[in-house]
Amino acid sequence: MFKILSNETLAAQVHRLVVEAPRIARARLPGQFVIVRLREGAERIPLTIADADPKHGTITLIIQAVGASTKDIVATPVGDGLRNVAGPLGKATHIKNWGRVACVGGGVGTAVLYPLAKALAEAGNEVTTIIGGRSAPFVILRDELAAFSKEVLVTTEDGSLGEKGFVTLALDKLIKDPARRPAAVFAVGPVPMMAAITRLTQPDGIETIVPLNPIMVDGTGTCGGCRLTVGGKIKFACVDGPEFDGHQVDYKELMARLNTYQECDCRLQEQVRKLETEAPR
Amino acid sequence: MSRPSPKERMAIARTKMREQEAAARAKNFKEVNQGLEELAAREEAKRCLECKNKPCVAGCPVAVRIPEFLMKVADGDLAGAAAILREDNALPATTGRVCPQEKQCEQVCIRGKKGEPVAIGWLERFVADWAARNMEPPKPPAVKTGYHVCVVGSGPGGLTAAGELARMGHDVTIFEALHAAGGVLRYGIPEFRLPKDIVDREVANLEALGVKIECDVVVGKTITVRQILEEFDACFVANGAGLPVFMHIPGENLKGIYSANEYLTRVNLMGAYLPGSKTPIAKGACAVVFGGGNTAMDGVRTAKRLGSARAILAYRRSHDEMPARAEEVKHAEEEGIEFLFLVAPLEFLGDAKGWVRAVRMQRMELGEPDASGRRRPVPVKGSEFELPCDIGVVAVGTSSNPLLTSTVPELKLNKWGNIEIDANQMTSVPGLFAGGDIVRGGATVILAMGDGKKAAQSMDAYLKEKVERAEDW
């Protein structure tokens, strides 16, 4: 069992958990994730490691409760534990000093963005952070990101906080301003957002890195469930990623695969009916 | 105790395994084989002629003293039979169920020359199951050596090595990447062939011997091999083959297409077949599984049990070249699995939402023998056809997972990325041993167990030599 040492609410449905995991804390690098299983019978889900403290043997997870599994996890009280935490998995972010970088987070993606942006700032980059959400309550980690960002730009779809519109609007302005134009863009959020950002950065050839989160089971390369097409080749997000060159990713396929288990329930019954009504082979 | 004469032994016909009826079992995940009754087992054991050469022992990768345990069964001394098995084989309830006996012990059984061989596998299973009900778990050895050894992976190779090392008095820790021990026995082999309570029992027996199992440790990520060699006196790597091989044909990333690893892991490890499971699995009326090995057979029979009206196994060679265990092929045929031989997929076709709906196939014919000695399948021009396919499972093999090996630059690998070992299972790194699929590149449970057994003996010798070397100084 991996004991939960603190569980604090950052925003509606967004929790910061500090978890005892000494081996993982020692080995972890920014950009890596863990596979968590809350209890016997629960699903295995990948979660980005937001921070690690090797001295105290703890890792920090920032979790937005969007599905059944994440809701169960954030509802776990301090003192209880997570049944399984395996990691750190995936490749570490390739951190270097690009000079000026833009870090873009949409909704739940902001939690994944946070450790990345922090590592980039620590490496000497001038970080401009753009975060957005449907409305004000969905914009998270603003103060945490402001602690190391040169500026934090906020957009909301309804205009309840920051500028009204999508994060792409703010990024577009940044790219067009020669004094603020980033050498690289790190973008995390819903797939359509990452696809839109990639389209925005493509004409100028601005390197764009996207951490991806497809459906995963083991997280060590043995199942291939997280496969996606990058530059025409099959890649496994768990071992080849999670970060990829945004300009090479097949977003349409990724999005379709992410919807697998929202659609699959009713398929079988329909098909069996069809098979039974058709003439025998 | 008087034993039957050779003539009397020859007169006994091979027993039959009690099985769940085919139509019923094709709809559930309960074990197909129901085991032998004691009387039937004792009669079957009497069929052994106690021949002088004991080819069955040589045919067994872990050299179980087969005639000796069979005679104990014949005499009704089941505890004696179990004691022999326990000494020679760390996982008898498992191998009795999943070993390809027809290619090993039973293939060379002298009774098979005229008629049918002794049912060694069924008897092994019978004794192991009897022992589980009637005997105390094994006890840790009284004398400890003081050495700490590490085993990476808790599949058949790792469990066997751990058991042997623990019985030698070493302090053994297993690191397992997943959340439950057993490796392929846990995530790969389905419940209907190897019930998971048997894996639990085999693991519990090892823990009773004093073996410590730490789950959620991904060696290469959570801890490095270098760190392990600093913490432990020796290490055995048996982390399996790992990476699924895809066919690299168009449409392979459509929804509804799984690697066999993912398909079986969702069902076996995560329990996706159980009502109320938190882990989902896609189901479809027509499931097509590609491959001809045991994994393909497990996949197609799983699809049938998940409710597919048609479950088809598509294999590019013919019936006789299938590497699958004979009993599984027979069971699959009885369960209504359709076999399509001499076909190869060209392309998966999808619907508007990105789900697979069909597979375009091509017929093959057998040409000249290839490197494996089997006749090579050659495409037949103009033979393309379309097959409905709502679920596709790719079971054409696995390749080595570089997760661990890539973090040990000094570790010598072959061109396929498998670890190279010497005659004693030791790698190019002193104190680091390896076996099972990470060395062999995709073999059987029993071969991995043979590696584990041999490695344990080599590690024991290595640790003793280490002391002598130290004393020489």
Side-chain angles (χ1 to χ4, degrees):
Chain A
M1 200 191 69
F2 297 78
K3 207 166 147 190
I4 297 175
L5 301 177
S6 76
N7 180 350
E8 132 197 39
T9 310
L10 296 181
Q13 303 299 327
V14 181
H15 287 240
R16 173 160 47 204
L17 269 66
V18 177
V19 180
E20 208 172 65
R23 287 193 197 278
I24 301 172
R26 275 199 297 274
R28 177 262 182 185
L29 294 166
Q32 290 187 299
F33 64 94
V34 281
I35 296 262
V36 173
R37 201 176 70 125
L38 172 59
R39 61 172 78 94
E40 212 49 64
E43 252 200 294
R44 291 171 66 93
I45 58 162
L47 294 169
T48 301
I49 308 170
D51 227 330
D53 181 346
K55 211 172 100 203
H56 295 100
T58 62
I59 58 169
T60 303
L61 304 172
I62 296 175
I63 306 167
Q64 184 163 23
V66 282
S69 295
T70 44
K71 278 179 187 152
D72 282 350
I73 290 173
V74 302
T76 312
V78 171
D80 278 9
L82 306 172
R83 180 81 176 75
N84 303 98
V85 182
L89 301 170
K91 291 197 166 132
T93 305
H94 177 58
I95 302 281
K96 66 171 188 180
N97 193 346
W98 312 74
R100 210 157 40 216
V101 296
C103 291
V104 189
V108 62
T110 308
V112 179
L113 184 75
Y114 169 76
L116 253 173
K118 191 176 165 211
L120 286 163
E122 280 165 3
N125 288 284
E126 183 190 303
V127 178
T128 301
T129 302
I130 304 170
I131 50 175
R134 225 162 43 230
S135 59
F138 294 94
V139 176
I140 59 167
L141 299 172
R142 190 183 181 177
D143 296 340
E144 286 82 353
L145 287 159
F148 51 77
S149 301
K150 180 162 179 276
E151 54 178 336
V152 177
L153 307 171
V154 177
T155 64
T156 50
E157 287 168 45
D158 64 358
S160 55
L161 189 69
E163 198 172 1
K164 186 174 180 339
F166 293 106
V167 286
T168 38
L169 183 77
L171 181 64
D172 194 30
K173 284 183 192 162
L174 209 63
I175 290 171
K176 289 195 174 121
D177 180 354
R180 295 158 78 210
R181 193 189 138 105
V185 174
F186 290 77
V188 205
V191 178
M193 181 205 102
M194 293 189 280
I197 285 177
T198 305
R199 282 195 298 274
L200 210 59
T201 57
Q202 198 136 34
D204 298 319
I206 300 173
E207 195 160 339
T208 304
I209 291 128
V210 290
L212 302 177
N213 189 12
I215 297 165
M216 257 177 218
V217 184
D218 63 281
T220 61
T222 67
C223 90
C226 65
R227 66 191 186 275
L228 63 154
T229 305
V230 180
K233 292 201 175 76
I234 291 189
K235 296 281 177 190
F236 292 178
C238 67
V239 287
D240 300 320
E243 287 163 23
F244 292 99
D245 175 353
H247 295 143
Q248 304 287 323
V249 174
D250 182 341
Y251 293 104
K252 193 175 161 224
E253 180 187 275
L254 172 65
M255 198 128 97
R257 289 184 64 82
L258 277 168
N259 290 330
T260 303
Y261 298 106
Q262 273 97 58
E263 302 166 350
C264 74
D265 281 353
C266 49
R267 261 179 99 239
L268 176 68
Q269 288 164 353
E270 272 172 35
Q271 290 164 1
V272 172
R273 261 200 306 276
K274 201 176 138 218
L275 204 76
E276 280 166 357
T277 52
E278 276 171 7
R281 284 170 284 125
Chain B
M1 190 175 293
S2 75
R3 285 183 181 155
S5 68
K7 201 176 162 191
E8 285 168 323
R9 296 180 191 215
M10 287 299 289
I12 308 170
R14 180 169 161 128
T15 189
K16 296 262 183 293
M17 174 58 80
R18 292 179 301 151
E19 294 171 353
Q20 254 200 91
E21 196 262 319
R25 73 183 190 233
K27 292 191 173 76
N28 70 48
F29 279 82
K30 289 193 214 106
E31 193 175 9
V32 172
N33 284 351
Q34 303 288 294
L36 300 181
E37 300 277 9
E38 182 171 341
L39 274 179
R42 288 181 62 177
E43 275 301 287
E44 180 62 31
K46 286 177 193 159
R47 295 183 66 234
C48 171
L49 298 177
E50 295 181 85
C51 62
K52 207 172 82 196
N53 291 336
K54 301 175 188 172
C56 52
V57 180
C60 173
V62 297
V64 169
R65 285 165 287 159
I66 292 165
E68 287 178 44
F69 103 77
L70 291 184
M71 282 312 109
K72 294 281 185 198
V73 176
D75 294 347
D77 177 8
L78 300 182
I84 294 172
L85 275 186
R86 207 171 250 184
E87 270 180 41
D88 292 349
N89 179 349
L91 314 167
T94 299
T95 51
R97 287 171 166 84
V98 307
C99 258
Q101 288 92 2
E102 77 275 10
K103 289 176 188 159
Q104 293 169 175
C105 53
E106 294 185 25
Q107 184 182 46
V108 291
C109 173
I110 197 158
R111 289 293 310 259
K113 291 196 175 153
K114 276 188 200 161
E116 291 188 279
V118 178
I120 300 166
W122 294 347
L123 288 168
E124 183 181 43
R125 168 204 162 119
F126 168 76
V127 173
D129 288 357
W130 180 90
R133 287 192 306 273
N134 297 289
M135 284 170 76
E136 292 289 310
K139 288 192 172 60
V143 183
K144 303 285 274 179
T145 61
Y147 288 113
H148 297 271
V149 293
C150 175
V151 171
V152 179
S154 64
L159 291 178
T160 301
E164 296 282 327
L165 289 161
R167 288 196 296 148
M168 291 164 181
H170 303 304
D171 186 76
V172 185
T173 301
I174 300 182
F175 288 138
E176 165 56 47
L178 289 171
H179 60 254
V184 73
L185 311 177
R186 178 77 59 184
Y187 73 78
I189 303 178
E191 182 76 13
F192 56 82
R193 213 147 72 76
L194 178 66
K196 295 305 155 253
D197 59 4
I198 288 171
V199 183
D200 291 341
R201 204 166 74 204
E202 310 261 39
V203 170
N205 275 344
L206 282 187
E207 286 176 326
L209 271 176
V211 173
K212 290 184 280 290
I213 303 179
E214 198 179 327
C215 288
D216 301 312
V217 178
V218 185
V219 175
K221 290 288 184 185
T222 315
I223 185 170
T224 63
V225 170
R226 186 58 42 213
Q227 285 170 312
I228 288 176
L229 290 175
E230 280 163 17
E231 270 182 47
F232 295 87
D233 299 303
C235 175
F236 176 59
V237 174
N239 61 339
L243 291 187
V245 171
F246 284 97
M247 302 183 294
H248 298 281
I249 59 173
E252 208 169 11
N253 292 354
L254 286 164
K255 285 180 282 188
I257 298 173
Y258 288 101
S259 74
N261 273 2
E262 181 182 5
Y263 194 67
L264 293 171
T265 299
R266 282 180 178 273
V267 174
N268 302 330
L269 173 72
M270 305 304 294
Y273 70 96
L274 297 166
S277 165
K278 296 276 195 292
T279 298
I281 187 138
K283 298 169 187 175
C286 187
V288 186
V289 178
F290 303 88
N294 283 315
T295 308
M297 210 59 71
D298 287 344
V300 75
R301 295 172 72 199
T302 294
K304 185 81 188 174
R305 283 160 172 78
L306 287 174
S308 290
R310 294 184 70 187
I312 303 168
L313 183 127
Y315 182 46
R316 64 197 186 107
R317 301 182 197 246
S318 71
H319 183 283
D320 295 347
E321 285 88 14
M322 269 197 297
R325 192 171 176 264
E327 193 180 29
E328 310 313 327
V329 178
K330 173 180 159 275
H331 283 161
E333 284 165 349
E334 292 165 358
E335 288 162 13
I337 303 299
E338 297 173 51
F339 289 80
L340 260 183
F341 294 115
L342 291 166
V343 289
L346 295 172
E347 181 185 9
F348 289 106
L349 307 167
D351 67 14
K353 282 184 164 172
W355 282 92
V356 62
R357 61 168 183 82
V359 55
R360 208 157 62 78
M361 309 278 282
Q362 182 174 42
R363 299 211 180 271
M364 312 293 277
E365 59 190 7
L366 292 179
E368 295 298 307
D370 63 12
S372 73
R374 297 178 298 179
R375 292 176 67 194
R376 186 194 303 273
V378 187
V380 177
K381 276 199 185 104
S383 67
E384 292 83 1
F385 66 102
E386 219 175 86
L387 187 69
C389 173
D390 306 305
I391 294 293
V393 178
V394 183
V396 297
T398 53
S399 62
S400 61
N401 191 333
L403 204 66
L404 179 149
T405 52
S406 66
T407 62
V408 195
E410 65 272 37
L411 186 62
K412 231 169 126 186
L413 308 176
N414 69 13
K415 63 176 170 175
W416 297 283
N418 296 113
I419 299 176
E420 287 199 351
I421 52 164
D422 66 12
N424 299 316
Q425 305 277 143
M426 189 150 91
T427 69
S428 57
V429 180
L432 188 67
F433 297 75
D437 280 4
I438 191 65
V439 168
R440 295 173 176 273
T444 60
V445 164
I446 190 70
L447 286 173
M449 290 175 61
D451 289 353
K453 195 167 174 175
K454 195 169 153 198
Q457 284 153 4
S458 302
M459 288 165 83
D460 189 53
Y462 167 84
L463 291 169
K464 283 173 183 153
E465 270 172 36
K466 210 168 150 179
V467 179
E468 282 162 23
R469 278 199 305 273
E471 280 166 359
D472 285 347
W473 274 81

